[in-house]
Each structure stands twice: as structure tokens, then as C-alpha cells.
Amino acid sequence: MMERIQVGLGDRAYEIVIGPGARALAADLTGRRNFLVTDSRVAELWGSWAAKEIPQAGSFVFPAGERHKTPETVVSICRRAAELRFDRKARFVALGGGVVGDMTGFAAAIYMRGAGFVQIPTTLLAMVDSSVGGKTGVDIPEGKNLIGAFHQPEQVLIDPDFLATLPPGELRCGLAEILKTGVIFDEALFAELERDPDSLTVAPDYARFVPLIRRSCELKAQVVVADEREAGIRALLNYGHTFGHAVELLSDFSIGHGEGVAVGMCCAGELAARLGLWTRKEAERQKRAIAALGLPVALPRHCTVPAMLEAMRRDKKNRDGAIALVLPRRIGAAEVNRDVADAEIGAALEAVHA
Ligand SMILES: NC(=O)c1ccc[n+]([C@@H]2O[C@H](COP(=O)([O-])OP(=O)(O)OC[C@H]3O[C@@H](n4cnc5c(N)ncnc54)[C@H](O)[C@@H]3O)[C@@H](O)[C@H]2O)c1
Ligand SMILES: [Zn+2]
């Protein structure tokens, strides 16, 4: 059965369709010329399916990996679109993980000042997080996602069948984002991840993923509708990310986004316990759940306190030099905090070091 979630954004409202077989709906993307964008790995695994089933007037494949999420790749995407004579009525179709989705969405946002786009996420992370909400963009050496735009997709087709080819490490990265959503909004979602974690990781029971994806998308859609441009509540979705982005950056992206977020949640959890915002018991419960999913709970040694603080200060959510942090109040609630002293952050980081 297909589940449908409406993202009620007025004239930019769109639908998220979730369920086994949802990708077959790509065949209905008719009436306009489609420009398929994907990466080399997804093309290898799903390219022949896409060639047959997604109506398309042209395509672009770039090398897989976060290090290719650059302005240069976006320019290549746009140049290919121009070469193929797509106009602004074109529909860009992003088939892939968060890297494909973020870059295709950004290319669509700026190509001829705005073309439409559709998301067909193929990683768990993209299914539960990046494909919904309209944040698009690229990295530059100075920081992650520093160049970007808000540009909502026209539709999101989420098919858990894509997960069958996803390596376990990537599955875990998606689980980290679901866990994050649980900590900030929904204890029941968090508890569902604590239950039999092996059936989500080492021996995945894919049927378990559909309700997890649905709940994550539902919560994310609510937040996006309430605060599309992140003036308030949407900022909570960055839980674990300020620390996590710093870890990713300092590890030259050898650590996956979800792994960075997992360690980042441990840092935030430790800090919140030290500040008395939540109990030590809750911090430990979060840490146990992260570890049980096979995600990292310790900060790598090379992420020294000064390097972390320096990387975190560059985060674009900061204002006037103060580091903006999302800190948990309990499993199911969090808040933004802008006045934690560097010394407090440093002490928490020391405690989370490997
Ligand atoms: N826009 C947002 O709101 C938002 C939210 C969260 C994360 N992000 C971004 O998403 C990115 C991370 O996304 P990701 O983890 O999906 O990374 P990714 O797109 O790099 O995918 C990870 C790897 O899995 C491969 N892959 C994709 N689908 C596959 C499949 N079905 N089977 C086998 N391999 C497959 C990819 O080729 C890649 O090598 C980061 O750049 C992050 O900043 C954006
Ligand atoms: Zn994320």
C-alpha cells in the first residue's frame, strides 16, 4: 500500500509518496521534458531500471561521493542541461542519495532562475531527511552546505526497494537521522529504534523501515510547513549537526554524514547532561541506542577541542560569533541554545573523546 503525505506549502505544496513500488510512479512524469541526474554508483546499480522506467530527454551522471558536492559539479549539471536545450519548464529528476538530491535541487533552483524538480531518494538518509523540505546546496572548502537555496521539489517518490542495494554503513547513517528526529520530537519513534536494532542493521527486515520513513517524513513535513525558512522550530532538526559537521570536515569526509551526526548527538547529549538540561540517565539511554545501531559514540582523537570549536564557529546557523547549539531536554524534546561558554563545550568534547 502507498502512503501519501502532503506538504502544505500553498502554491508550492507537494506530495510525498511512500511504499514498495513507489518508484514505478516515475513513469507518470510525463508532459514535460525530464532531465535525470544521478551519481556513478546509483547509475551502476539502478541505471538500467531508470533508463527504461523514467521518461527522459537527457541525463547527467557525476562521480559518487560527498567530495563531488561542489559548485563545479552544479555548473556541469547546468551546462549539460543547456547543451540538451532544456528550458525552464524542464523537470530535473534527482535519483540518488542526499548528495544527488541537494545538488540537483540546487541546479534546478538556479538553472534559468528556476526549473522544477522531483526527488527519488535511494539512500535511507535521503528518504527520511534530505529529500523533504527544499534545502538544496553544495559544499565549499570553507564549510559544508555554505552555498545553497531553498527550492521545494514538486514530488518525492520514496521506494524502500532501493534500500536492498545500500551498504550497511549507509543504512546506519539514515538510522542516525531517524534517531535524531526521535530525540527532538517523538519518544515513540526513538523507542521503535531501540527495539531489536539488529533487524534494522545486521539482518535488515525492510518492512520495518516503511513506518519509520513515514513517521520521519510526517514530522519533517510538519516542521517545514510551520517554518520553511528556518526562522524557528526547523532549527531543531540540526540536532547533532553543528558538532557533526565539524567532525565530518575535520575528517576530510572519511566519516559519513550520519556517523558525524551520531557522534554529534553524543557531544550534545553530554553537554546537556553537564548543564543539567536533561538527566545523565537520558544521555546514557541515547548513547546506548546509538551504539546498538552500530553508530560511533566517541569523538575521534584528531578532532581536538580547539579544532572543533573553530570548525563549529564557521557554522552558518551562528549569529554574532556565538555558537548556536540544539540541546536535548528529554527524549522527545529539544531547544536552541546560544549562550553556552566555549569552556563548557570543550569540557563536554573532552569527555566524549575516544
Ligand atoms: N537537504 C537537506 O535537508 C539535507 C538533510 C540531510 C542531509 N543532507 C545532505 O545529504 C548528504 C548525505 O546524503 P547520503 O548519505 O544519501 O549521501 P550520498 O548521496 O553520497 O550517498 C551515499 C553513497 O551511497 C550510494 N548510494 C545511493 N543510493 C544507493 C543504493 N540504493 N544502493 C547502493 N548505493 C547507493 C551513493 O552513490 C553514495 O556513494 C550530505 O551532503 C548532507 O549534507 C541534506
Ligand atoms: Zn543530516
Short mmCIF file of all heavy atoms in Angstrom, two decimals, residues 124 163 167-168 170-175 178-179 189-212 289 292-293:
data_model
loop_
_atom_site.label_atom_id
_atom_site.label_comp_id
_atom_site.label_asym_id
_atom_site.label_seq_id
_atom_site.Cartn_x
_atom_site.Cartn_y
_atom_site.Cartn_z
N LEU A 124 18.67 5.66 2.69
CA LEU A 124 17.75 5.85 3.80
C LEU A 124 17.81 7.30 4.28
O LEU A 124 16.80 7.91 4.58
CB LEU A 124 18.08 4.88 4.95
CG LEU A 124 17.15 4.94 6.15
CD1 LEU A 124 15.69 4.66 5.77
CD2 LEU A 124 17.62 3.99 7.24
N LEU A 163 16.59 0.27 -0.90
CA LEU A 163 17.47 0.01 0.24
C LEU A 163 18.19 -1.33 0.12
O LEU A 163 19.22 -1.55 0.76
CB LEU A 163 16.66 0.05 1.55
CG LEU A 163 15.99 1.38 1.88
CD1 LEU A 163 15.18 1.27 3.17
CD2 LEU A 163 17.02 2.50 2.01
N PRO A 167 24.74 -0.30 1.16
CA PRO A 167 25.66 -0.92 2.12
C PRO A 167 25.21 -0.64 3.55
O PRO A 167 24.61 0.41 3.82
CB PRO A 167 27.00 -0.24 1.85
CG PRO A 167 26.85 0.51 0.57
CD PRO A 167 25.38 0.72 0.33
N PRO A 168 25.49 -1.58 4.50
CA PRO A 168 25.04 -1.43 5.89
C PRO A 168 25.46 -0.09 6.51
O PRO A 168 24.69 0.50 7.27
CB PRO A 168 25.73 -2.59 6.62
CG PRO A 168 26.15 -3.55 5.57
CD PRO A 168 26.26 -2.82 4.28
N GLU A 170 25.70 2.79 5.13
CA GLU A 170 24.81 3.86 4.66
C GLU A 170 23.43 3.73 5.33
O GLU A 170 22.78 4.73 5.63
CB GLU A 170 24.65 3.82 3.14
CG GLU A 170 25.95 4.02 2.37
CD GLU A 170 26.58 5.40 2.57
OE1 GLU A 170 25.88 6.32 3.02
OE2 GLU A 170 27.78 5.52 2.28
N LEU A 171 23.01 2.49 5.54
CA LEU A 171 21.74 2.25 6.23
C LEU A 171 21.82 2.86 7.64
O LEU A 171 20.91 3.55 8.11
CB LEU A 171 21.50 0.74 6.31
CG LEU A 171 20.07 0.21 6.29
CD1 LEU A 171 19.27 0.76 5.12
CD2 LEU A 171 20.07 -1.30 6.25
N ARG A 172 22.95 2.62 8.29
CA ARG A 172 23.16 3.16 9.65
C ARG A 172 23.10 4.68 9.66
O ARG A 172 22.57 5.28 10.59
CB ARG A 172 24.52 2.70 10.19
CG ARG A 172 24.54 1.25 10.53
CD ARG A 172 25.78 0.91 11.36
NE ARG A 172 25.66 -0.44 11.86
CZ ARG A 172 26.16 -1.49 11.24
NH1 ARG A 172 26.84 -1.36 10.12
NH2 ARG A 172 25.96 -2.70 11.74
N CYS A 173 23.67 5.32 8.63
CA CYS A 173 23.65 6.78 8.58
C CYS A 173 22.23 7.30 8.54
O CYS A 173 21.90 8.31 9.17
CB CYS A 173 24.44 7.28 7.36
SG CYS A 173 26.22 7.18 7.61
N GLY A 174 21.36 6.61 7.81
CA GLY A 174 19.95 7.01 7.77
C GLY A 174 19.29 6.81 9.13
O GLY A 174 18.48 7.64 9.58
N LEU A 175 19.65 5.71 9.79
CA LEU A 175 19.07 5.44 11.11
C LEU A 175 19.47 6.53 12.10
O LEU A 175 18.70 6.89 12.99
CB LEU A 175 19.53 4.05 11.61
CG LEU A 175 18.91 2.88 10.83
CD1 LEU A 175 19.66 1.58 11.13
CD2 LEU A 175 17.43 2.72 11.16
N ILE A 178 17.02 9.28 11.75
CA ILE A 178 15.71 8.93 12.34
C ILE A 178 15.79 9.05 13.85
O ILE A 178 14.90 9.61 14.50
CB ILE A 178 15.26 7.51 11.93
CG1 ILE A 178 15.25 7.36 10.40
CG2 ILE A 178 13.88 7.20 12.50
CD1 ILE A 178 14.90 5.95 9.91
N LEU A 179 16.89 8.55 14.41
CA LEU A 179 17.09 8.64 15.86
C LEU A 179 17.09 10.11 16.31
O LEU A 179 16.50 10.47 17.32
CB LEU A 179 18.42 7.98 16.23
CG LEU A 179 18.57 7.53 17.67
CD1 LEU A 179 17.66 6.35 17.98
CD2 LEU A 179 20.02 7.14 17.96
N LEU A 189 9.06 7.15 18.35
CA LEU A 189 9.94 6.86 17.21
C LEU A 189 11.31 6.38 17.71
O LEU A 189 11.87 5.41 17.22
CB LEU A 189 10.07 8.11 16.33
CG LEU A 189 10.95 8.00 15.08
CD1 LEU A 189 10.41 6.95 14.11
CD2 LEU A 189 11.05 9.35 14.37
N PHE A 190 11.81 7.06 18.73
CA PHE A 190 13.08 6.69 19.34
C PHE A 190 13.00 5.25 19.88
O PHE A 190 13.90 4.43 19.62
CB PHE A 190 13.41 7.67 20.47
CG PHE A 190 14.73 7.43 21.13
CD1 PHE A 190 15.88 8.06 20.67
CD2 PHE A 190 14.84 6.57 22.22
CE1 PHE A 190 17.11 7.85 21.28
CE2 PHE A 190 16.07 6.34 22.83
CZ PHE A 190 17.20 6.98 22.36
N ALA A 191 11.93 4.95 20.60
CA ALA A 191 11.77 3.63 21.21
C ALA A 191 11.69 2.54 20.14
O ALA A 191 12.17 1.42 20.34
CB ALA A 191 10.53 3.62 22.09
N GLU A 192 11.09 2.86 19.00
CA GLU A 192 10.99 1.90 17.91
C GLU A 192 12.38 1.52 17.40
O GLU A 192 12.62 0.38 16.98
CB GLU A 192 10.10 2.48 16.80
CG GLU A 192 9.84 1.59 15.60
CD GLU A 192 9.22 0.22 15.94
OE1 GLU A 192 8.54 0.10 16.98
OE2 GLU A 192 9.44 -0.72 15.14
N LEU A 193 13.31 2.45 17.46
CA LEU A 193 14.68 2.16 17.03
C LEU A 193 15.47 1.39 18.09
O LEU A 193 16.45 0.71 17.78
CB LEU A 193 15.43 3.46 16.71
CG LEU A 193 14.96 4.21 15.47
CD1 LEU A 193 15.69 5.53 15.36
CD2 LEU A 193 15.19 3.39 14.21
N GLU A 194 15.03 1.49 19.34
CA GLU A 194 15.70 0.73 20.41
C GLU A 194 15.31 -0.74 20.35
O GLU A 194 16.03 -1.59 20.82
CB GLU A 194 15.28 1.28 21.79
CG GLU A 194 15.89 2.61 22.17
CD GLU A 194 15.36 3.11 23.51
OE1 GLU A 194 14.11 3.19 23.66
OE2 GLU A 194 16.17 3.42 24.39
N ARG A 195 14.14 -1.00 19.75
CA ARG A 195 13.61 -2.35 19.70
C ARG A 195 14.33 -3.15 18.61
O ARG A 195 14.36 -2.76 17.46
CB ARG A 195 12.10 -2.27 19.40
CG ARG A 195 11.37 -3.59 19.46
CD ARG A 195 9.87 -3.36 19.35
NE ARG A 195 9.45 -2.96 18.00
CZ ARG A 195 9.28 -3.81 16.98
NH1 ARG A 195 9.51 -5.08 17.15
NH2 ARG A 195 8.90 -3.35 15.80
N ASP A 196 14.92 -4.27 18.98
CA ASP A 196 15.57 -5.19 18.05
C ASP A 196 16.41 -4.48 16.98
O ASP A 196 16.13 -4.59 15.79
CB ASP A 196 14.49 -6.07 17.38
CG ASP A 196 15.12 -7.23 16.61
OD1 ASP A 196 16.34 -7.43 16.72
OD2 ASP A 196 14.37 -7.91 15.88
N PRO A 197 17.45 -3.76 17.40
CA PRO A 197 18.24 -2.97 16.43
C PRO A 197 18.90 -3.83 15.34
O PRO A 197 19.12 -3.33 14.24
CB PRO A 197 19.30 -2.26 17.31
CG PRO A 197 19.22 -2.89 18.65
CD PRO A 197 17.89 -3.54 18.79
N ASP A 198 19.18 -5.10 15.67
CA ASP A 198 19.82 -5.95 14.65
C ASP A 198 18.94 -6.11 13.40
O ASP A 198 19.44 -6.25 12.30
CB ASP A 198 20.15 -7.33 15.22
CG ASP A 198 21.40 -7.27 16.10
OD1 ASP A 198 21.97 -6.15 16.24
OD2 ASP A 198 21.78 -8.31 16.65
N SER A 199 17.62 -6.10 13.58
CA SER A 199 16.74 -6.27 12.42
C SER A 199 16.66 -4.98 11.60
O SER A 199 15.97 -4.91 10.58
CB SER A 199 15.34 -6.72 12.85
OG SER A 199 14.65 -5.66 13.46
N LEU A 200 17.37 -3.94 12.06
CA LEU A 200 17.48 -2.71 11.27
C LEU A 200 18.87 -2.57 10.66
O LEU A 200 19.10 -1.71 9.81
CB LEU A 200 17.19 -1.49 12.15
CG LEU A 200 15.78 -1.38 12.71
CD1 LEU A 200 15.70 -0.28 13.77
CD2 LEU A 200 14.78 -1.09 11.58
N THR A 201 19.81 -3.40 11.13
CA THR A 201 21.20 -3.20 10.69
C THR A 201 21.83 -4.46 10.13
O THR A 201 21.97 -4.60 8.92
CB THR A 201 22.05 -2.66 11.86
OG1 THR A 201 21.87 -3.51 13.00
CG2 THR A 201 21.66 -1.25 12.22
N VAL A 202 22.18 -5.41 11.00
CA VAL A 202 22.93 -6.58 10.51
C VAL A 202 22.09 -7.52 9.63
O VAL A 202 22.59 -8.05 8.64
CB VAL A 202 23.60 -7.39 11.65
CG1 VAL A 202 24.88 -6.73 12.09
CG2 VAL A 202 22.69 -7.59 12.84
N ALA A 203 20.81 -7.68 9.98
CA ALA A 203 19.92 -8.52 9.15
C ALA A 203 18.66 -7.71 8.87
O ALA A 203 17.61 -7.95 9.46
CB ALA A 203 19.59 -9.82 9.87
N PRO A 204 18.75 -6.72 7.97
CA PRO A 204 17.64 -5.77 7.82
C PRO A 204 16.33 -6.42 7.37
O PRO A 204 16.30 -7.19 6.41
CB PRO A 204 18.14 -4.79 6.74
CG PRO A 204 19.54 -5.12 6.45
CD PRO A 204 19.87 -6.43 7.07
N ASP A 205 15.28 -6.10 8.15
CA ASP A 205 13.93 -6.50 7.79
C ASP A 205 13.31 -5.24 7.18
O ASP A 205 12.88 -4.34 7.90
CB ASP A 205 13.20 -6.94 9.07
CG ASP A 205 11.70 -7.04 8.89
OD1 ASP A 205 11.24 -6.92 7.73
OD2 ASP A 205 11.00 -7.24 9.90
N TYR A 206 13.30 -5.17 5.83
CA TYR A 206 12.95 -3.91 5.16
C TYR A 206 11.53 -3.44 5.44
O TYR A 206 11.24 -2.26 5.36
CB TYR A 206 13.25 -4.00 3.66
CG TYR A 206 14.74 -4.12 3.40
CD1 TYR A 206 15.31 -5.34 3.02
CD2 TYR A 206 15.58 -3.03 3.61
CE1 TYR A 206 16.69 -5.46 2.84
CE2 TYR A 206 16.95 -3.14 3.43
CZ TYR A 206 17.50 -4.36 3.05
OH TYR A 206 18.85 -4.46 2.90
N ALA A 207 10.65 -4.38 5.81
CA ALA A 207 9.28 -3.99 6.13
C ALA A 207 9.25 -3.05 7.33
O ALA A 207 8.38 -2.19 7.45
CB ALA A 207 8.43 -5.22 6.41
N ARG A 208 10.23 -3.19 8.24
CA ARG A 208 10.27 -2.31 9.42
C ARG A 208 10.58 -0.86 9.04
O ARG A 208 10.31 0.05 9.81
CB ARG A 208 11.35 -2.79 10.40
CG ARG A 208 10.92 -3.92 11.29
CD ARG A 208 11.85 -4.03 12.50
NE ARG A 208 11.67 -2.93 13.44
CZ ARG A 208 12.51 -2.69 14.45
NH1 ARG A 208 13.56 -3.44 14.65
NH2 ARG A 208 12.29 -1.68 15.28
N PHE A 209 11.18 -0.66 7.86
CA PHE A 209 11.60 0.70 7.51
C PHE A 209 10.45 1.60 7.06
O PHE A 209 10.51 2.81 7.24
CB PHE A 209 12.69 0.66 6.44
CG PHE A 209 14.02 0.21 6.98
CD1 PHE A 209 14.34 -1.13 7.06
CD2 PHE A 209 14.93 1.14 7.45
CE1 PHE A 209 15.56 -1.55 7.58
CE2 PHE A 209 16.15 0.74 7.98
CZ PHE A 209 16.47 -0.62 8.05
N VAL A 210 9.42 1.00 6.49
CA VAL A 210 8.34 1.83 5.94
C VAL A 210 7.70 2.73 7.00
O VAL A 210 7.62 3.95 6.80
CB VAL A 210 7.29 0.99 5.18
CG1 VAL A 210 6.15 1.87 4.67
CG2 VAL A 210 7.96 0.26 4.02
N PRO A 211 7.27 2.18 8.16
CA PRO A 211 6.69 3.09 9.17
C PRO A 211 7.70 4.10 9.72
O PRO A 211 7.32 5.22 10.07
CB PRO A 211 6.19 2.14 10.27
CG PRO A 211 6.76 0.81 9.98
CD PRO A 211 7.13 0.76 8.54
N LEU A 212 8.97 3.69 9.80
CA LEU A 212 10.00 4.64 10.28
C LEU A 212 10.15 5.80 9.30
O LEU A 212 10.26 6.96 9.70
CB LEU A 212 11.34 3.93 10.45
CG LEU A 212 11.44 2.86 11.55
CD1 LEU A 212 12.77 2.11 11.44
CD2 LEU A 212 11.30 3.49 12.92
N ALA A 289 21.43 3.63 22.56
CA ALA A 289 20.66 3.41 21.32
C ALA A 289 21.54 3.63 20.09
O ALA A 289 21.47 2.89 19.11
CB ALA A 289 19.44 4.34 21.29
N ALA A 292 23.92 0.70 19.83
CA ALA A 292 23.23 -0.54 19.45
C ALA A 292 22.96 -0.59 17.95
O ALA A 292 22.85 -1.66 17.36
CB ALA A 292 21.92 -0.68 20.22
N LEU A 293 22.89 0.58 17.32
CA LEU A 293 22.69 0.62 15.86
C LEU A 293 24.03 0.55 15.13
O LEU A 293 24.09 0.65 13.90
CB LEU A 293 21.94 1.90 15.47
CG LEU A 293 20.47 1.97 15.92
CD1 LEU A 293 19.91 3.37 15.72
CD2 LEU A 293 19.61 0.94 15.17
#
